[in-house]
Amino acid sequence: VYDFGQNHAGVLRVVVDAPRGTTITIRHGEILNEEGSLFTKNLRKARQELTLICGEDGMQDFLPCFTFMGFRYAELKADRPIKILDVESIVLTSDAKKTGEFSCSDPLLTRLQQNIQWGQRSNFIEIPTDCPQRDERMGWTGDIAVFASAAAFNRDISAFMQKWLCDLRLDQRKNGTLPVTVPEIKTYAPTPFHIPIAIWGDAATMVPWAVYLAYGDKQFLAAQYDSMKRYTEAERRAAAACGFGQARYLWNHNLFQYGDWCAAGENVGQWKRKGNFLATAFFTNSVAIMQKAARALGRTDDQREYAALLENIRNAFSELCCRDDGTLKGDFQSNYVCALYFGLIPAEKKPAVAKRLVALVRQKDHRAITGFAGTPYIAFALADNGYVEDAYKLLQNTKCPGWLYTVKAGGTTIWERWDALDENGHIQKMGRQSITDMVSFNHYAYGAVGDFFYRRILGIEPVEAGYKHFMIRPVPGGTLTHAEGSLDTIYGKIESQWKIENNKFKLKVTIPANTHGTIILPNGERYEVGSGSYQYELENGEF
């Protein structure tokens, strides 16, 4: 059994000295059993196996084509004695230039960023897949919907996503809804009814908008606009079917939802039942994206239409779902996270709602009990509402469930479920059932937290699509004493580097040519600057 030290997608090149007719079998896996053998139960029907037959005597060089595996470990067996001369893993991924860099004083967070990068690298092979190892390897729309923004920081995904979004348009149904995988795989059709599904369907709006923000290509946005609108209108019809009066603006009754998929400590049924609490938040987000896309393209009638719809949704949610004491209908972490992050809470109720969220987080000892819906946004929901230290405590938590728990457990990519292994390295149980049939150790969805690394820790965020105008507004906190990183944009490299030294906060930034930067320091000081390099300093007590 060979350990390549890094979970990844690729193929093995094997050089052997063996007699003609020798059969060599190679099996691939992500983790080992306790006794050191290859663990493959999580692969389900996938074999991840190569059979090599020596066609001649002597040295032979094997490199498989038209396939790939997801693995860290590989087991080689031969039906007779052979001499293994070389074993090399060839990493495979679509050609997408690395654009983002991030590191900080917490080595576990730095390693987590590397894991996110490797997860993206492993799952961006022709299409954005959910995992590279088991019997899926499919373009699940929910995964890329939540990860697209982080993906655009890590690599230049413009061409890659334009190709996949063309596939999405071709698979989109006449009523605007989407299959849950693109390209469509009939095996995973969740229901015979053509209905929108929150998060998964919202890939139609969330992915194009993330790509547009990163690169500012209006021709691309215009090409996607009709697809985005058709899906948003499908959500509007689904909401309207849920009730009368203000209730018609709440999408809270659907025949099927995936809900808060993969929320820690819960089962599939519990994840799905949360869906009708969460759907309105993602409907709101798609409407907000449509308003901004219409503005960018000069479609003023649509802009006004979606602005009015957005106001109606927010008013209905505030009136029917948000109580005066700050509690929501659906008292669980992800519901508060999504309501806050997607702007469903009016200003006068926001402090109470944020207070309830932080109470739920503290009750769990700063562990995120969130799934696909809440995990990408929970650190934002806390930090942006006055609870920066709670956001960092959650982010830097090394207990299960949590991002750094997986890093300490030896993860080198992002896991599908951060409770996949217990603290002894054993596969977890879900009640009486093992969850080995739904454990991937190379799924990028929870790597969406990388968005927080760039947009809050480094503070880099576009004001105009393509970073013609952008902010650098770092948010220090937790145990961090420094953080640094960069982003290659279409105008050049943006750099942000800060450190806390001798009770002073020091920030260095680089602004590319032909761009405008708004620098906001932790004490609120604001500077408008053009291209060049700048340094700022705050004394003790000012940050």
Side-chain angles (χ1 to χ4, degrees), residues 368-442:
I369 314 299
T370 50
F372 271 39
T375 300
Y377 315 114
I378 187 168
F380 289 99
L382 291 167
D384 293 353
N385 289 283
Y387 295 100
V388 171
E389 289 308 314
D390 288 282
Y392 272 95
K393 285 180 181 179
L394 179 136
L395 187 61
Q396 294 185 276
N397 177 24
T398 58
K399 298 177 182 177
C400 184
W403 291 280
L404 297 192
Y405 170 82
T406 67
V407 176
K408 287 194 72 174
T412 60
T413 44
I414 301 298
W415 297 356
E416 179 182 23
R417 305 176 57 139
W418 40 25
D419 57 351
L421 299 179
D422 65 21
E423 294 181 357
N424 296 313
H426 303 149
I427 291 290
Q428 293 270 33
K429 300 286 184 178
M430 181 186 290
R432 296 182 179 180
Q433 301 297 318
S434 169
I435 61 171
T436 53
D437 68 335
M438 209 183 121
V439 175
S440 159
F441 294 94
N442 200 347

Coordinates of all heavy atoms in Angstrom, one line a residue, residues 368-442:
A368 N -20.3 24.4 14.6 CA -21.3 24.7 13.5 C -22.2 23.5 13.3 O -21.7 22.5 12.7 CB -20.6 25.2 12.2
I369 N -23.4 23.6 13.7 CA -24.4 22.5 13.4 C -25.1 22.9 12.2 O -26.4 23.0 12.2 CB -25.3 22.2 14.6 CG1 -24.5 22.2 15.9 CG2 -26.0 20.9 14.5 CD1 -23.4 21.1 16.0
T370 N -24.4 23.1 11.1 CA -25.0 23.5 9.9 C -24.7 22.6 8.7 O -23.7 21.9 8.8 CB -24.5 24.9 9.5 OG1 -23.0 24.9 9.6 CG2 -25.0 26.0 10.5
G371 N -25.5 22.7 7.7 CA -25.3 21.9 6.5 C -25.0 22.8 5.3 O -24.4 23.8 5.4
F372 N -25.4 22.3 4.1 CA -25.1 23.1 2.9 C -25.6 24.5 2.9 O -25.1 25.4 2.4 CB -25.7 22.4 1.7 CG -24.8 21.3 1.0 CD1 -24.0 20.5 1.8 CD2 -24.7 21.2 -0.3 CE1 -23.1 19.6 1.2 CE2 -23.9 20.2 -0.9 CZ -23.1 19.4 -0.1
A373 N -26.8 24.7 3.6 CA -27.4 26.0 3.6 C -26.7 27.0 4.4 O -26.4 28.1 4.0 CB -28.9 25.9 4.1
G374 N -26.3 26.6 5.6 CA -25.7 27.6 6.6 C -24.2 27.7 6.6 O -23.6 28.7 6.9
T375 N -23.5 26.5 6.4 CA -22.1 26.5 6.6 C -21.3 27.5 5.8 O -20.4 28.1 6.3 CB -21.6 25.1 6.2 OG1 -22.2 24.1 7.1 CG2 -20.1 25.0 6.4
P376 N -21.6 27.8 4.5 CA -20.8 28.8 3.8 C -20.9 30.2 4.4 O -20.0 31.1 4.1 CB -21.5 28.8 2.4 CG -22.2 27.5 2.3 CD -22.7 27.2 3.6
Y377 N -22.0 30.5 5.1 CA -22.3 31.9 5.5 C -22.3 32.2 7.0 O -22.4 33.3 7.4 CB -23.6 32.3 5.0 CG -23.8 31.9 3.5 CD1 -24.8 30.9 3.2 CD2 -23.0 32.4 2.5 CE1 -25.0 30.5 1.9 CE2 -23.2 31.9 1.2 CZ -24.2 31.0 0.9 OH -24.3 30.6 -0.4
I378 N -22.0 31.1 7.8 CA -22.2 31.3 9.3 C -21.1 32.3 9.8 O -21.5 33.1 10.7 CB -22.2 30.0 10.0 CG1 -22.5 30.2 11.5 CG2 -20.9 29.2 9.8 CD1 -22.8 28.9 12.2
A379 N -19.9 32.2 9.4 CA -18.9 33.1 9.9 C -19.2 34.6 9.5 O -19.0 35.5 10.3 CB -17.5 32.8 9.4
F380 N -19.7 34.8 8.3 CA -20.2 36.1 7.9 C -21.3 36.6 8.7 O -21.3 37.8 9.2 CB -20.7 36.1 6.4 CG -19.6 35.9 5.4 CD1 -19.4 34.7 4.8 CD2 -18.9 37.0 5.0 CE1 -18.4 34.5 3.9 CE2 -17.9 36.9 4.0 CZ -17.6 35.6 3.4
A381 N -22.3 35.8 9.0 CA -23.5 36.2 9.8 C -23.1 36.6 11.2 O -23.7 37.5 11.7 CB -24.5 35.0 9.8
L382 N -22.1 36.0 11.7 CA -21.6 36.4 13.1 C -20.8 37.6 13.0 O -21.1 38.6 13.7 CB -20.8 35.2 13.7 CG -21.6 34.0 14.1 CD1 -20.7 32.8 14.4 CD2 -22.5 34.2 15.3
A383 N -19.7 37.6 12.2 CA -18.8 38.8 12.1 C -19.5 40.0 11.7 O -19.2 41.1 12.2 CB -17.6 38.4 11.2
D384 N -20.4 40.0 10.7 CA -21.0 41.2 10.2 C -22.1 41.7 11.1 O -22.6 42.8 10.8 CB -21.6 40.8 8.8 CG -20.5 40.5 7.7 OD1 -19.3 40.7 8.1 OD2 -20.9 40.1 6.6
N385 N -22.4 41.0 12.1 CA -23.4 41.5 13.0 C -22.9 41.7 14.4 O -23.7 41.6 15.4 CB -24.6 40.6 13.0 CG -25.4 40.6 11.7 OD1 -26.2 41.5 11.5 ND2 -25.2 39.6 10.8
G386 N -21.6 42.0 14.5 CA -21.1 42.4 15.8 C -20.5 41.3 16.6 O -20.0 41.6 17.8
Y387 N -20.3 40.1 16.1 CA -19.8 39.0 16.9 C -18.6 38.4 16.2 O -18.5 37.2 15.9 CB -20.9 37.9 17.0 CG -22.1 38.4 17.8 CD1 -23.3 38.8 17.2 CD2 -22.0 38.4 19.2 CE1 -24.4 39.3 17.9 CE2 -23.1 38.9 20.0 CZ -24.3 39.3 19.3 OH -25.3 39.8 20.1
V388 N -17.6 39.3 16.0 CA -16.4 38.9 15.3 C -15.6 37.8 16.1 O -15.2 36.8 15.5 CB -15.4 40.1 15.1 CG1 -14.0 39.6 14.6 CG2 -16.0 41.1 14.2
E389 N -15.5 37.9 17.4 CA -14.8 36.9 18.2 C -15.5 35.5 18.1 O -14.9 34.5 18.1 CB -14.6 37.4 19.6 CG -13.5 38.5 19.7 CD -12.2 38.2 19.0 OE1 -11.7 37.1 19.2 OE2 -11.7 39.0 18.2
D390 N -16.8 35.6 18.1 CA -17.6 34.3 18.0 C -17.3 33.6 16.7 O -17.2 32.4 16.6 CB -19.1 34.5 18.3 CG -19.4 34.8 19.7 OD1 -19.4 33.9 20.5 OD2 -19.5 36.0 20.1
A391 N -17.3 34.5 15.6 CA -17.0 33.9 14.3 C -15.6 33.2 14.3 O -15.5 32.2 13.7 CB -17.0 35.1 13.3
Y392 N -14.6 33.9 14.9 CA -13.3 33.3 14.9 C -13.2 32.0 15.8 O -12.5 31.1 15.5 CB -12.3 34.3 15.3 CG -11.7 35.1 14.2 CD1 -12.2 36.4 13.9 CD2 -10.6 34.7 13.4 CE1 -11.7 37.1 12.8 CE2 -10.1 35.4 12.4 CZ -10.7 36.6 12.1 OH -10.2 37.4 11.0
K393 N -13.9 32.1 16.9 CA -14.0 30.9 17.8 C -14.6 29.7 17.0 O -14.1 28.5 17.2 CB -14.7 31.2 19.1 CG -14.0 32.0 20.1 CD -14.8 32.3 21.3 CE -14.1 33.1 22.3 NZ -14.9 33.4 23.5
L394 N -15.6 29.9 16.3 CA -16.2 28.9 15.5 C -15.3 28.4 14.4 O -15.1 27.2 14.2 CB -17.5 29.4 14.9 CG -18.3 28.4 14.0 CD1 -19.8 28.4 14.3 CD2 -18.1 28.7 12.5
L395 N -14.6 29.4 13.7 CA -13.7 29.0 12.6 C -12.5 28.3 13.1 O -12.0 27.3 12.5 CB -13.3 30.3 11.9 CG -12.4 30.2 10.7 CD1 -13.2 29.5 9.6 CD2 -12.0 31.6 10.2
Q396 N -12.0 28.6 14.3 CA -10.8 28.0 14.8 C -11.0 26.9 15.8 O -10.1 26.3 16.3 CB -9.9 29.1 15.5 CG -9.4 30.2 14.6 CD -8.4 31.1 15.3 OE1 -8.8 32.1 15.9 NE2 -7.1 30.8 15.2
N397 N -12.3 26.5 15.9 CA -12.6 25.4 16.8 C -12.0 24.1 16.2 O -12.2 23.8 15.0 CB -14.2 25.3 16.9 CG -14.6 24.1 17.7 OD1 -13.9 23.6 18.5 ND2 -15.8 23.6 17.4
T398 N -11.4 23.3 17.1 CA -10.8 22.1 16.6 C -11.6 20.8 17.1 O -11.1 19.7 16.9 CB -9.3 21.9 17.2 OG1 -9.4 22.0 18.6 CG2 -8.5 23.0 16.6
K399 N -12.8 21.1 17.6 CA -13.6 20.0 18.1 C -14.6 19.6 16.9 O -14.8 20.4 16.0 CB -14.4 20.3 19.3 CG -13.5 20.6 20.5 CD -14.3 21.1 21.7 CE -13.5 21.5 22.9 NZ -14.3 21.9 24.1
C400 N -15.1 18.4 17.0 CA -16.1 17.9 16.0 C -17.5 18.4 16.4 O -17.9 18.2 17.6 CB -16.0 16.4 15.9 SG -17.1 15.7 14.6
P401 N -18.3 18.9 15.5 CA -17.9 19.2 14.1 C -17.3 20.5 13.9 O -17.6 21.5 14.6 CB -19.3 19.2 13.4 CG -20.3 19.7 14.5 CD -19.7 19.2 15.8
G402 N -16.4 20.6 12.9 CA -15.7 21.9 12.6 C -14.7 21.7 11.6 O -14.1 20.6 11.4
W403 N -14.3 22.8 10.9 CA -13.3 22.7 9.8 C -12.0 22.2 10.3 O -11.3 21.3 9.7 CB -13.1 24.0 9.1 CG -14.3 24.5 8.3 CD1 -14.6 24.2 7.1 CD2 -15.3 25.5 8.7 NE1 -15.7 24.8 6.7 CE2 -16.2 25.6 7.7 CE3 -15.5 26.2 9.9 CZ2 -17.3 26.5 7.7 CZ3 -16.6 27.0 10.0 CH2 -17.5 27.2 8.9
L404 N -11.5 22.8 11.4 CA -10.2 22.4 11.9 C -10.1 21.1 12.6 O -9.0 20.5 12.7 CB -9.6 23.5 12.8 CG -9.5 24.9 12.2 CD1 -8.7 25.8 13.1 CD2 -8.8 24.8 10.8
Y405 N -11.3 20.5 13.0 CA -11.3 19.2 13.4 C -10.8 18.2 12.3 O -10.1 17.3 12.5 CB -12.7 18.8 13.9 CG -12.9 17.3 14.1 CD1 -12.6 16.8 15.4 CD2 -13.5 16.5 13.2 CE1 -12.8 15.4 15.6 CE2 -13.7 15.2 13.4 CZ -13.3 14.6 14.6 OH -13.5 13.3 14.9
T406 N -11.3 18.5 11.1 CA -10.9 17.6 10.0 C -9.4 17.8 9.7 O -8.8 16.8 9.3 CB -11.7 17.9 8.7 OG1 -11.4 19.3 8.2 CG2 -13.2 17.9 9.0
V407 N -8.9 19.0 9.8 CA -7.5 19.2 9.6 C -6.6 18.4 10.6 O -5.7 17.7 10.3 CB -7.1 20.7 9.6 CG1 -5.6 20.9 9.5 CG2 -7.9 21.4 8.5
K408 N -7.0 18.5 11.9 CA -6.3 17.8 13.0 C -6.4 16.3 12.8 O -5.5 15.6 13.2 CB -6.8 18.3 14.3 CG -6.4 19.7 14.7 CD -6.6 19.9 16.2 CE -5.6 19.2 17.1 NZ -5.7 19.5 18.5
A409 N -7.5 15.9 12.2 CA -7.7 14.4 12.0 C -7.0 13.9 10.8 O -7.0 12.7 10.5 CB -9.2 14.1 11.8
G410 N -6.2 14.8 10.2 CA -5.3 14.4 9.1 C -5.9 14.6 7.7 O -5.3 14.2 6.7
G411 N -7.0 15.3 7.6 CA -7.6 15.6 6.3 C -6.7 16.5 5.4 O -6.2 17.5 5.9
T412 N -6.6 16.1 4.2 CA -5.8 16.9 3.2 C -6.7 17.5 2.1 O -6.2 18.2 1.3 CB -4.7 16.1 2.6 OG1 -5.3 15.0 1.9 CG2 -3.8 15.6 3.6
T413 N -8.0 17.3 2.2 CA -9.0 17.9 1.4 C -10.2 18.2 2.3 O -10.2 17.8 3.4 CB -9.4 17.0 0.2 OG1 -9.6 15.7 0.6 CG2 -8.3 17.1 -0.9
I414 N -11.2 18.7 1.7 CA -12.5 19.0 2.5 C -13.4 17.8 2.4 O -13.5 17.1 1.4 CB -13.2 20.2 1.9 CG1 -12.3 21.5 1.9 CG2 -14.5 20.5 2.6 CD1 -11.9 21.9 3.2
W415 N -13.9 17.5 3.6 CA -14.8 16.3 3.7 C -16.2 16.6 3.4 O -16.7 17.8 3.6 CB -14.7 15.7 5.1 CG -13.4 15.2 5.6 CD1 -12.3 15.1 4.8 CD2 -13.1 14.7 6.9 NE1 -11.2 14.6 5.6 CE2 -11.7 14.4 6.9 CE3 -13.8 14.6 8.1 CZ2 -11.1 13.9 8.0 CZ3 -13.2 14.1 9.2 CH2 -11.8 13.7 9.1
E416 N -17.0 15.7 2.9 CA -18.4 15.8 2.7 C -19.1 16.1 4.0 O -20.0 16.9 4.0 CB -19.0 14.6 2.0 CG -20.5 14.6 1.7 CD -20.9 13.3 1.1 OE1 -20.3 12.3 1.2 OE2 -22.0 13.4 0.4
R417 N -18.7 15.4 5.0 CA -19.3 15.5 6.3 C -18.2 15.6 7.3 O -17.3 14.8 7.4 CB -20.1 14.2 6.7 CG -21.2 13.9 5.7 CD -21.9 12.6 6.1 NE -22.4 12.7 7.4 CZ -23.6 12.3 7.8 NH1 -24.4 11.7 6.9 NH2 -24.0 12.4 9.0
W418 N -18.2 16.7 8.1 CA -17.1 16.9 9.0 C -17.2 16.0 10.2 O -16.3 16.0 11.1 CB -16.8 18.3 9.4 CG -18.0 19.2 9.6 CD1 -19.3 18.8 10.0 CD2 -18.1 20.6 9.5 NE1 -20.1 19.9 10.2 CE2 -19.4 21.0 9.8 CE3 -17.2 21.6 9.1 CZ2 -19.8 22.3 9.8 CZ3 -17.6 22.9 9.1 CH2 -18.9 23.2 9.4
D419 N -18.3 15.2 10.3 CA -18.3 14.2 11.4 C -18.1 12.8 10.8 O -18.5 11.8 11.4 CB -19.7 14.3 12.1 CG -20.9 14.1 11.2 OD1 -20.7 14.2 10.0 OD2 -22.0 14.0 11.7
A420 N -17.5 12.7 9.6 CA -17.3 11.4 9.0 C -16.5 10.5 9.8 O -16.7 9.3 9.9 CB -16.6 11.6 7.6
L421 N -15.4 11.0 10.5 CA -14.6 10.2 11.4 C -14.8 10.7 12.8 O -14.9 11.9 13.0 CB -13.1 10.2 11.0 CG -12.7 9.7 9.6 CD1 -11.2 9.9 9.4 CD2 -13.1 8.3 9.4
D422 N -14.8 9.8 13.8 CA -14.8 10.2 15.2 C -13.4 10.6 15.6 O -12.5 10.6 14.8 CB -15.4 9.2 16.1 CG -14.6 7.9 16.2 OD1 -13.4 7.9 15.9 OD2 -15.2 6.9 16.6
E423 N -13.3 11.0 16.9 CA -12.0 11.5 17.3 C -10.9 10.5 17.4 O -9.7 10.8 17.6 CB -12.2 12.2 18.7 CG -13.0 13.5 18.6 CD -13.2 14.2 19.9 OE1 -12.7 13.7 20.9 OE2 -13.8 15.3 19.9
N424 N -11.3 9.2 17.3 CA -10.4 8.1 17.2 C -10.0 7.7 15.8 O -9.4 6.7 15.6 CB -10.9 6.9 18.0 CG -11.1 7.2 19.5 OD1 -10.2 7.8 20.1 ND2 -12.2 6.9 20.1
G425 N -10.6 8.4 14.8 CA -10.3 8.1 13.4 C -11.2 7.0 12.9 O -10.9 6.4 11.8
H426 N -12.3 6.7 13.6 CA -13.2 5.6 13.1 C -14.4 6.2 12.4 O -14.9 7.3 12.7 CB -13.7 4.8 14.3 CG -12.6 4.2 15.0 ND1 -12.6 3.9 16.4 CD2 -11.3 3.8 14.7 CE1 -11.5 3.4 16.8 NE2 -10.7 3.3 15.8
I427 N -15.0 5.5 11.5 CA -16.2 5.9 10.8 C -17.3 6.1 11.8 O -17.6 5.2 12.6 CB -16.6 4.9 9.7 CG1 -15.6 5.0 8.5 CG2 -18.0 5.2 9.2 CD1 -15.6 6.2 7.7
Q428 N -18.0 7.2 11.7 CA -19.1 7.5 12.7 C -20.3 6.7 12.4 O -20.5 6.1 11.3 CB -19.5 9.0 12.6 CG -18.5 10.0 13.0 CD -18.6 10.3 14.5 OE1 -19.0 9.5 15.3 NE2 -18.2 11.5 14.9
K429 N -21.2 6.6 13.4 CA -22.5 5.9 13.2 C -23.6 6.9 13.3 O -23.5 8.0 13.9 CB -22.7 4.9 14.4 CG -21.6 3.8 14.5 CD -21.8 2.8 13.4 CE -20.8 1.6 13.6 NZ -21.0 0.6 12.5
M430 N -24.6 6.7 12.5 CA -25.8 7.5 12.6 C -26.9 6.7 13.1 O -27.6 5.9 12.4 CB -26.2 8.0 11.2 CG -27.4 8.9 11.1 SD -27.9 9.3 9.4 CE -26.5 10.4 9.0
G431 N -27.2 6.8 14.4 CA -28.1 5.9 15.1 C -27.5 4.5 15.0 O -26.4 4.3 15.4
R432 N -28.3 3.5 14.5 CA -27.8 2.2 14.3 C -27.1 1.9 13.0 O -26.6 0.9 12.7 CB -29.0 1.2 14.5 CG -29.6 1.2 15.9 CD -30.7 0.2 16.0 NE -31.3 0.2 17.3 CZ -32.3 -0.7 17.6 NH1 -32.8 -1.5 16.7 NH2 -32.8 -0.6 18.8
Q433 N -27.2 3.0 12.1 CA -26.7 2.8 10.8 C -25.3 3.4 10.6 O -25.0 4.5 11.1 CB -27.7 3.4 9.8 CG -29.1 2.8 9.8 CD -29.1 1.4 9.5 OE1 -28.5 0.9 8.5 NE2 -29.9 0.6 10.2
S434 N -24.4 2.7 9.9 CA -23.2 3.3 9.5 C -23.4 4.3 8.4 O -24.4 4.2 7.6 CB -22.2 2.2 9.0 OG -21.1 2.7 8.4
I435 N -22.6 5.3 8.4 CA -22.8 6.3 7.3 C -21.7 6.2 6.2 O -21.3 7.1 5.5 CB -22.7 7.8 7.9 CG1 -21.4 8.1 8.6 CG2 -23.9 8.0 8.8 CD1 -21.3 9.5 8.9
T436 N -21.1 4.9 6.1 CA -20.0 4.7 5.2 C -20.5 4.9 3.7 O -19.7 5.1 2.8 CB -19.4 3.3 5.3 OG1 -20.5 2.3 5.3 CG2 -18.7 3.2 6.6
D437 N -21.8 4.8 3.5 CA -22.3 4.9 2.1 C -22.4 6.4 1.7 O -22.8 6.7 0.6 CB -23.6 4.2 1.9 CG -24.8 4.8 2.7 OD1 -24.5 5.5 3.7 OD2 -25.9 4.7 2.3
M438 N -22.2 7.3 2.7 CA -22.3 8.7 2.3 C -21.1 9.5 3.0 O -21.3 10.5 3.7 CB -23.6 9.3 2.8 CG -24.0 10.5 1.9 SD -25.5 11.2 2.5 CE -25.0 12.8 2.7
V439 N -19.9 9.0 2.8 CA -18.7 9.6 3.3 C -17.7 9.8 2.2 O -17.1 8.8 1.7 CB -18.1 8.8 4.5 CG1 -16.8 9.4 4.9 CG2 -19.1 8.7 5.6
S440 N -17.5 11.0 1.8 CA -16.5 11.4 0.8 C -15.5 12.2 1.6 O -15.9 13.2 2.3 CB -17.1 12.1 -0.4 OG -16.0 12.8 -1.0
F441 N -14.2 12.0 1.4 CA -13.2 12.8 2.0 C -12.6 13.8 1.0 O -11.5 14.3 1.2 CB -12.1 11.9 2.6 CG -12.6 11.0 3.7 CD1 -13.0 9.7 3.5 CD2 -12.7 11.5 5.0 CE1 -13.5 9.0 4.5 CE2 -13.1 10.8 6.0 CZ -13.6 9.5 5.8
N442 N -13.3 14.0 -0.1 CA -12.9 15.0 -1.1 C -14.1 15.7 -1.7 O -14.4 15.4 -2.9 CB -12.0 14.4 -2.1 CG -11.1 15.4 -2.8 OD1 -11.3 16.6 -2.8 ND2 -10.1 14.9 -3.6

